[in-house]
Amino acid sequence: MTDTFTTRTIDVTTGSAETVHDLTAACTRFLRDVARGRDGLLNVFTPHATTGLAVMETGAGSDDDLLDALRALLPADDRWRHRHGSPGHGRDHVLPALVPPHATLPVIGGELALGTWQSVVLVDTNGDNPRRTVRLSFLGA
């Protein structure tokens, strides 16, 4: 089983502001270590109730556009029933329903098979928790 399935966690510091953190390089390093030219699947999972994962273009304003869209959909105000933490924190707990905490991606020849402008990102709107964990798992043939 160890030849076909390998998993590792990485720690990510997201800080105290809403952020879109690019995980693509970490995914690439992980696959370089474990995939060894094989085809398979990379599963990326964040075990937090207030983060999500997305596959999207980064660096051309899309990061900020996503955060702006989430602010519009999930305002940080007093409408939320979940009320511990900073004001509006209840919206952070709704985030994973819109931006899921997992992604499964194809690996071809040991490399992540993303489109030209696609990146794997951690989306974190919760400034109360600046340290996150992400689990990378490779299932290969």
Side-chain angles (χ1 to χ4, degrees):
M1 183 72 167
T2 59
D3 277 350
T4 59
F5 181 79
T6 306
T7 189
R8 176 183 305 163
T9 58
I10 59 172
D11 295 319
V12 177
T13 301
T14 56
S16 60
E18 298 173 336
T19 190
V20 173
H21 181 88
D22 195 334
L23 298 170
T24 310
C27 293
T28 299
R29 283 189 301 274
F30 172 69
L31 291 172
R32 190 176 307 126
D33 290 347
V34 303
R36 299 185 306 277
R38 296 178 291 160
D39 294 346
L41 295 172
L42 173 68
N43 182 265
V44 186
F45 175 72
T46 178
H48 300 285
T50 59
T51 59
L53 294 159
V55 177
M56 61 179 290
E57 179 180 4
T58 60
S62 298
D63 321 44
D64 290 331
D65 289 342
L66 174 60
L67 293 174
D68 287 345
L70 290 172
R71 283 183 207 110
L73 287 169
L74 305 171
D77 58 21
D78 64 356
R79 74 183 69 200
W80 308 102
R81 290 181 189 100
H82 187 108
R83 294 187 183 261
H84 76 86
S86 59
H89 174 66
R91 65 125 185 192
D92 299 325
H93 287 275
V94 176
L95 173 77
L98 301 175
V99 183
H102 56 87
T104 301
L105 307 164
V107 176
I108 308 297
E111 296 186 13
L112 197 52
L114 293 173
T116 302
W117 303 111
Q118 289 181 319
S119 297
V120 181
V121 299
L122 175 70
V123 180
D124 189 354
T125 59
N126 179 6
D128 293 341
N129 187 352
R131 298 180 54 145
R132 301 305 188 152
T133 300
V134 175
R135 178 169 295 281
L136 306 175
S137 300
F138 175 69
L139 178 62

